[in-house]
């Protein structure tokens, strides 16, 4: 029995593990990747050249001391682990060398964010991937694709485009889907954003860089669609009242990030619809307590707030857990103040980069919504005409959400489409009922057997 | 095509892609290494047979599913290149005979 099992080795999980160890707790951290860092600091411990470090920049390299401190903290660490069950008694996981169960007094979910699904016609074609995926290619293997088109809105899209320019890559075009309404709406949140002027300036610098780079920068982009037979060959869009078409072999999509909430949903913790972030978010108090006494949440998995806020929330949660276990911990007032200052810019960013309604709920019936089962917008609309009352019933009507990704790639869009067609609110509609195993696992893995066989036979 | 920004210096190891030997950087993320090697598509879908490549690279989309050493449906983005890996492209719906 350990005191604390942490899921996720991003900034929240790493900071929580370091803090919990400093408070004398027995801690083990589980993560899917081979090294610490999560997605923001992916592959952070790998030695890299000065050039690669310069391309990825200081915000990425800030993960190095965190990862180093974690590896020296004395916390248990199970990389390459898929946690498929969490409960009051601890968790169950699979790993190449054999998985099993771990009893724990508390579980901290720090599963971070995922990119908001961006369903447009042709987004399943080879050659289309997320901007985050393009950045992971940079971080993990130092590879990049020439002549790509960047499509969408939000800081990560602009950051990856800037990193591409720093890497000397050509960008065919940037198709910016930020709406005029969002610009106006965000203006009222400027005072909060000005509490973090550094972040605001960083964003403005990136946009200026891109506009002055000579890369075609189209604003107010709507009606994005990808063409291709076996792979992406062109992108079509509308901007400035004109229809455009551009041939390309790579396109990187991004319109914000949302909490990766499958784990907390499967645990049956209570969640709420966050209107500002247009996403389902787990209910948690200021110290990370969920509605379940054994379950804590830190970082972007409990609401998007960024890497620095994630690390702070991890420390705050670790202290709260130590106190709950009667182990004592320093007061968190200072950390809570720092956290509040860090997230002051969020209402501005959430409003500015909220996707246009037509991107949240695609209008074109041919758009694939569920990538796994290839269910289109038209299939969903038809199911609703036939009386499909909610997201869970789509599974029976047309198999949306029934594939291996367990609804991760379609759930948010399914809810938006249902809301748009029915006029019901997302709160009223709810979400898929997520169940354990939180990720698909084989019976052999459930039995704790190793997953790697070198000869390919039993 | 994804191209390396710098010449690779680390050791490469031999893996087998549908029985064809290919040398990939040892320890590299498998999905990233295969994309860079031009392996396309990673699989075809069970429903329509449509080609797919990795989409998210972080374990949520399941488009990078591949058979590794006889075990189907592994997420390539969560695996590392090891010497001797036997990789197979998954075509369409699962085949019970292949899993025997």
């Amino acid at each position: 029995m350990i005191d604390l099992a942490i899921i996720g080795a991003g900034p929240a999980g790493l900071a929580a593990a370091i803090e919990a160890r400093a408070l004398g707790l027995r801690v083990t951290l589980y993560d899917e990747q081979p090294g610490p860092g999560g997605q923001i600091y992916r592959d952070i411990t790998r030695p890299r050249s000065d050039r690669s470090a310069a391309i990825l920049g200081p915000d990425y390299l800030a993960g190095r001391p965190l990862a180093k401190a974690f590896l020296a903290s004395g916390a248990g660490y199970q990389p390459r682990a898929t946690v498929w069950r969490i409960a009051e008694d601890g968790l169950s996981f699979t790993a190449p060398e054999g998985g099993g169960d771990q009893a724990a007094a508390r579980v901290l979910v720090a599963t971070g964010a995922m990119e908001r699904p961006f369903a447009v016609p042709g987004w399943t074609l080879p050659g289309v991937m997320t901007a985050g995926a393009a950045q992971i290619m940079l971080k993990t293997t130092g590879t990049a694709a020439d002549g790509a088109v960047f499509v969408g809105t939000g800081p990560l899209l602009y950051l990856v485009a800037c990193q591409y320019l720093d890497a000397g890559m050509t960008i065919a075009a940037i198709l910016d889907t930020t709406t005029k309404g969002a610009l106006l709406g965000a203006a009222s949140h400027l005072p909060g954003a000005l509490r973090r002027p550094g972040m605001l300036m960083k964003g403005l610098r990136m946009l200026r860089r891109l506009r002055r780079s000579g890369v075609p920068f189209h604003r107010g982009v709507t009606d994005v669609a990808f063409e291709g037979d076996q792979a992406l060959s062109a992108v079509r869009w509308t901007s400035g009242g004109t229809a455009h078409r551009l041939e390309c072999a790579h396109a990187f999509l991004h319109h914000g990030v949302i909490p990766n909430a499958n784990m907390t949903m499967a645990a049956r913790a209570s969640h709420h619809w966050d209107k500002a972030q247009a996403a389902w978010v787990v209910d948690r108090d200021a110290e990370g307590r969920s509605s379940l006494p054994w379950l804590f949440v830190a970082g972007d998995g409990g609401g998007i707030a960024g890497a620095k806020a994630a690390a702070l929330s991890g420390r705050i949660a670790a202290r709260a857990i130590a106190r709950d276990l009667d182990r004592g911990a320093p007061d968190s007032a200072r950390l809570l103040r720092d956290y509040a200052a860090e997230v002051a810019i969020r209402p501005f960013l959430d409003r500015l980069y909220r996707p246009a309604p037509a991107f949240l709920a695609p209008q074109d019936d041919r758009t694939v919504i569920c990538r796994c089962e290839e269910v289109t917008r038209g299939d969903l609309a038809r199911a609703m005409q036939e009386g499909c009352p909610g997201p869970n019933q789509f599974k029976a009507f047309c198999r949306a959400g029934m594939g291996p990704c367990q609804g991760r790639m379609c759930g948010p869009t399914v809810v938006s489409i249902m809301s748009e067609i029915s006029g019901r609110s997302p709160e009223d509609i709810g979400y898929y009922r997520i169940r354990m195993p939180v990720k698909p696992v084989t019976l052999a893995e459930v039995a704790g057997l190793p997953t790697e066989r070198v000869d390919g036979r039993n | 095509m994804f191209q390396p920004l710098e010449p690779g210096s680390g050791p490469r190891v031999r893996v087998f892609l549908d029985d064809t030997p290919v040398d990939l950087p040892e320890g590299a993320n498998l999905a990233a290494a295969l994309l860079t090697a031009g392996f396309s598509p990673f699989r075809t879908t069970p429903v329509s047979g449509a080609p797919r490549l990795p989409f998210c690279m972080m374990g949520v989309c399941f488009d990078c599913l591949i058979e590794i050493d006889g075990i189907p449906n592994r997420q390539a983005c969560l695996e590392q290149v090891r010497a001797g890996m036997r990789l197979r492209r998954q075509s369409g719906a699962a085949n019970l005979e292949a899993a025997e």
Side-chain angles (χ1 to χ4, degrees):
Chain A
M1 172 88 153
I2 58 172
D3 297 311
L4 173 61
I6 299 174
I7 304 152
L14 295 178
I18 297 163
E19 187 77 16
R21 280 299 303 146
L23 297 170
L25 269 56
R26 282 160 301 170
V27 183
T28 300
L29 186 148
Y30 297 82
D31 187 70
E32 286 184 325
Q33 290 295 333
Q39 301 310 324
I40 185 97
Y41 304 135
R42 181 99 172 243
D43 242 2
I44 191 71
T45 53
R46 191 167 67 89
R48 57 181 71 245
S49 68
D50 291 348
R51 179 166 177 238
S52 164
I55 291 167
L56 293 170
D59 286 345
Y60 171 74
L61 300 174
R64 275 182 177 164
L66 192 62
K68 205 173 156 194
F70 163 71
L71 293 171
S73 70
Y77 178 35
Q78 175 65 65
R80 305 182 68 193
T82 295
V83 173
W84 58 271
R85 184 191 73 100
I86 58 170
E88 199 167 8
D89 63 352
L91 57 75
S92 305
F93 69 101
T94 69
E97 64 275 21
D101 301 326
Q102 174 62 60
R106 293 290 183 276
V107 175
L108 174 67
V109 170
T111 48
M114 56 174 272
E115 288 177 272
R116 184 192 296 282
F118 198 156
V120 292
W123 72 311
T124 54
L125 283 168
V128 182
M129 56 168 34
T130 68
Q135 195 191 40
I136 288 168
M137 294 296 287
L138 273 178
K139 289 173 181 172
T140 56
T141 41
T143 56
D146 242 334
V149 175
F150 285 67
V151 184
T153 182
L156 182 63
L157 185 81
Y158 310 129
L159 172 63
V160 182
C162 285
Q163 289 172 333
Y164 256 54
L165 293 179
D166 287 339
M169 308 304 289
T170 58
I171 296 175
I174 295 169
L175 311 184
D176 193 316
T177 61
T178 311
T179 64
K180 277 221 175 73
L183 285 165
L184 292 172
S188 65
H189 296 295
L190 254 179
L194 287 168
R195 286 179 66 190
R196 272 284 178 273
M199 282 177 80
L200 203 57
M201 288 310 295
K202 215 180 281 175
L204 288 172
R205 266 201 307 274
M206 285 197 297
L207 282 169
R208 199 166 53 220
R209 166 112 206 268
L210 294 173
R211 292 219 188 91
R212 289 180 179 175
S213 64
V215 174
F217 196 108
H218 300 268
R219 284 195 260 188
V221 166
T222 60
D223 304 311
V224 174
F226 297 107
E227 291 176 1
D229 177 22
Q230 292 299 297
L232 173 66
S233 59
V235 57
R236 281 185 285 112
W237 76 94
T238 304
S239 61
T242 317
H244 301 262
R245 184 177 182 280
L246 178 65
E247 289 188 8
C248 59
H250 290 275
F252 303 140
L253 281 173
H254 179 82
H255 63 177
V257 293
I258 57 175
N260 203 341
N262 274 41
M263 187 81 76
T264 51
M265 284 184 169
R268 298 278 179 275
S270 65
H271 290 67
H272 65 277
W273 174 256
D274 186 319
K275 222 172 187 163
Q277 301 198 339
W280 283 98
V281 178
V282 67
D283 294 330
R284 59 171 172 173
D285 70 9
E287 295 190 305
R289 287 182 191 83
S290 77
S291 61
L292 305 168
W294 53 273
L295 178 63
F296 283 66
V297 185
D300 277 359
I304 303 305
K308 283 184 185 162
L312 288 166
S313 74
R315 295 183 63 193
I316 292 165
R319 289 185 182 187
I321 289 163
R323 262 184 252 114
D324 280 12
L325 297 176
D326 293 323
R327 308 289 278 278
D331 178 79
S332 290
R334 172 75 191 277
L335 293 178
L336 287 164
R337 269 200 307 278
D338 290 349
Y339 182 86
E342 198 54 49
V343 300
I345 195 172
R346 292 313 313 183
F348 174 78
L349 293 177
D350 290 342
R351 186 67 196 91
L352 180 58
Y353 296 124
R354 189 186 305 160
F359 283 118
L360 289 175
Q363 308 288 307
D364 187 329
D365 270 347
R366 295 164 306 169
T367 313
V368 170
I369 306 301
C370 168
R371 296 172 66 94
C372 296
E373 294 290 339
E374 295 177 76
V375 180
T376 64
R377 197 261 185 202
D379 295 331
L380 296 173
R382 210 159 26 251
M384 286 181 70
Q385 276 172 9
E386 290 166 3
C388 179
N392 290 299
Q393 289 72 30
F394 277 130
K395 297 179 182 183
F397 273 83
C398 58
R399 291 193 61 80
M402 293 286 279
C405 92
Q406 300 174 303
R408 286 171 174 87
M409 298 305 293
C410 68
T413 319
V414 160
V415 171
S416 295
I417 288 172
M418 186 158 240
S419 176
E420 197 250 339
I421 292 178
S422 68
R424 290 161 64 200
S425 67
E427 295 96 315
D428 185 35
I429 289 167
Y431 193 76
Y432 290 139
R433 178 168 281 250
I434 306 297
R435 294 180 183 278
M436 321 275 183
V438 183
K439 279 218 161 172
V441 284
T442 66
L443 288 173
E445 287 170 325
V446 171
L449 301 175
T451 55
E452 280 177 5
R453 292 179 304 180
V454 283
D455 60 358
R457 291 189 187 283
N458 281 313
Chain B
M1 273 293 283
F2 280 90
Q3 311 267 3
L5 299 174
E6 297 168 291
S9 52
R12 295 173 87 83
V13 293
R14 180 143 297 184
V15 306
F16 299 89
L17 258 178
D18 289 333
D19 296 324
T20 307
V22 181
D23 293 337
L24 298 177
E26 185 172 24
N29 179 279
L30 179 62
L34 289 174
L35 266 180
T36 307
F39 181 62
S40 179
F42 269 46
R43 66 182 180 101
T44 55
T45 59
V47 180
S48 73
R52 292 284 170 89
L53 284 182
F55 181 74
C56 79
M57 290 296 291
M58 55 169 282
V60 296
C61 81
F62 289 75
D63 268 325
C64 65
L65 295 179
I66 190 168
E67 182 186 307
I68 303 176
D69 295 333
I71 306 175
N73 295 321
R74 308 313 301 181
Q75 291 179 273
C77 73
L78 300 180
E79 300 281 343
Q80 293 75 50
V81 173
R82 282 177 287 107
M85 266 182 155
R86 291 181 181 278
L87 307 167
R88 268 183 204 288
R89 180 180 279 122
Q90 298 188 184
S91 298
N95 176 347
L96 276 178
E97 273 167 42
E100 251 171 32

